[in-house]
Amino acid sequence: MNLSVLGAFRPVLAPAAILLAAVLALAAGPALPPSLSGLKTLGPYLVLLLGTGMGAWFNRGRAFIALASLLAAFAGYSLAHEFGATGFAARATYTAAAILVPLNFLLALVFPERGVSHHFNYRWLMLAVAEILFAAWIASAGRSSLSGTVWQDLLAHWLLRSPPTPLLGRLLFAAAFIAAAARALPTGPARETRPLDIGLAGALVAFFIACEWVYTPGAFGAFMTAAGAILLVSLLQESHRLAFRDELTGLPSRRALEERLHALGPVHAIAMLDVDHFKKFNDTHGHDIGDEVLRLVATRLARLPGGGTAHRYGGEEFCILFPGLK
């Protein structure tokens, strides 16, 4: 029972540990020496820039959009903060970030994953430019003849009033978190969770805390760093999953099998099996139905008693390892 409970909570351990570390660091609050004081500002930039770069390098569209949105929000609020922590520019930028970041998360989760570089990718770029220009326009209200002062009254509306997080932002946070949590539910024969979907949900929680505690010294930077770190770790976990997990069946792949074979003790059993006449079945019923057959077989093999672990060896062939079994 304890192992099953641990297995159920294992996917959320990394995001939870990062959030806990941010809370403890904020609670302890030791003053950094002057030589390291710049980390409070540079730390979030470094983590978010590294994560955005890795999202682009690994061609993970959702992670890239989420990290780029967080980076733009932190940079924009830091810039506006220079005009005064309680000034209109900081409040307007904060309100825009609290609304647009969860909106971008939600849009990225609703649309299918197509990577960073794909056809019509310019739409995301145009949306990002439009959001940045719109937020800058609102933040300059009263400072520029182009913006006027109407935004100062509009942002006092009950739906947009902030901080803490405006009601519209809270609604978007809730919708984006539900979408991320729904995608993070275990799927496939192995009932596995996708680390990146859990990372998106965890980053949303971290960003929400950052918005709620924006006036707590150091909190905004700490939890923006936590949001970036959660997505960074989830990207690494997702890359490991793609390398060692068969995407069609959800079983460990041949690469995972080869690594486990090197680690087997002297007492073990290995079973090989395949689906009879699978090529003829594919030719008769089509490859889509053949894929469903492989998933059905994998579902049965994933629930084998006796401690065996099934792997997809290739095609319609499977291998089952029984460590410690004679």
Side-chain angles (χ1 to χ4, degrees):
M1 178 63 69
N2 291 336
L3 290 177
S4 62
V5 172
L6 180 61
F9 283 98
R10 183 179 179 182
V12 301
L13 288 179
I18 293 172
L19 285 171
L20 180 60
V23 172
L24 293 176
L26 198 62
L32 290 175
S35 59
L36 299 177
S37 59
L39 287 177
K40 292 182 178 179
T41 303
L42 293 179
Y45 279 117
L46 290 174
V47 173
L48 292 171
L49 277 170
L50 179 61
T52 304
M54 286 187 61
W57 182 264
F58 291 163
N59 198 31
R60 310 308 297 169
R62 290 195 180 100
F64 177 79
I65 292 167
L67 283 156
S69 299
L70 291 169
L71 177 60
F74 182 76
Y77 184 73
S78 298
L79 180 63
H81 201 268
E82 298 295 326
F83 295 98
T86 58
F88 178 77
R91 185 162 65 90
T93 307
Y94 164 85
T95 303
I99 292 173
L100 295 178
V101 170
L103 176 62
N104 289 343
F105 271 71
L106 182 60
L107 291 175
L109 286 161
V110 169
F111 290 105
E113 171 67 73
R114 297 190 179 187
V116 176
S117 178
H118 62 84
H119 189 50
F120 291 143
N121 190 42
Y122 64 86
R123 294 180 178 178
W124 282 108
L125 179 61
M126 291 175 62
L127 176 63
V129 171
E131 289 178 351
I132 292 172
L133 292 177
F134 186 62
W137 179 48
I138 296 175
S140 65
R143 297 175 178 269
S144 167
S145 59
L146 293 176
S147 60
T149 59
V150 65
W151 287 109
Q152 295 184 6
D153 296 330
L154 186 60
L155 290 187
H157 189 272
W158 60 271
L159 194 61
L160 300 174
R161 190 180 301 122
S162 65
T165 314
L167 178 59
L168 179 58
R170 290 171 184 262
L171 294 175
L172 289 170
F173 268 113
F177 182 80
I178 291 172
R183 291 190 60 85
L185 292 176
T187 57
R191 305 300 295 167
E192 67 168 346
T193 55
R194 297 179 183 271
L196 191 52
D197 294 326
I198 294 176
L200 288 167
L204 274 168
V205 172
F207 182 63
F208 181 75
I209 297 173
C211 290
E212 287 290 294
W213 292 0
V214 68
Y215 283 151
T216 302
F220 190 73
F223 283 98
M224 290 295 279
T225 304
I230 288 171
L231 285 170
L232 192 57
V233 170
S234 70
L235 271 171
L236 296 174
Q237 292 176 325
E238 183 75 3
S239 299
H240 181 274
R241 185 188 71 83
L242 292 174
F244 292 94
R245 185 71 59 171
D246 178 63
E247 193 69 15
L248 176 64
T249 62
L251 295 177
S253 64
R254 183 169 178 171
R255 179 179 295 181
L257 171 64
E258 290 173 351
E259 287 205 351
R260 292 202 64 188
L261 286 174
H262 290 297
L264 283 176
V267 179
H268 60 268
I270 300 177
M272 295 291 298
L273 65 140
D274 63 4
V275 181
D276 290 340
H277 311 297
F278 185 70
K279 183 180 184 304
K280 182 178 179 181
F281 186 90
N282 262 346
D283 293 340
T284 303
H285 300 284
H287 290 277
D288 289 340
I289 302 300
D291 288 347
E292 291 299 323
V293 170
L294 292 177
R295 292 191 188 98
L296 177 62
V297 172
T299 301
R300 299 292 181 89
L301 294 179
R303 299 172 183 171
L304 279 177
T309 303
H311 301 70
R312 187 182 181 191
Y313 191 76
E316 75 278 17
E317 297 177 314
F318 299 87
C319 178
I320 309 172
L321 296 184
F322 295 90
L325 181 65
K326 294 183 179 181

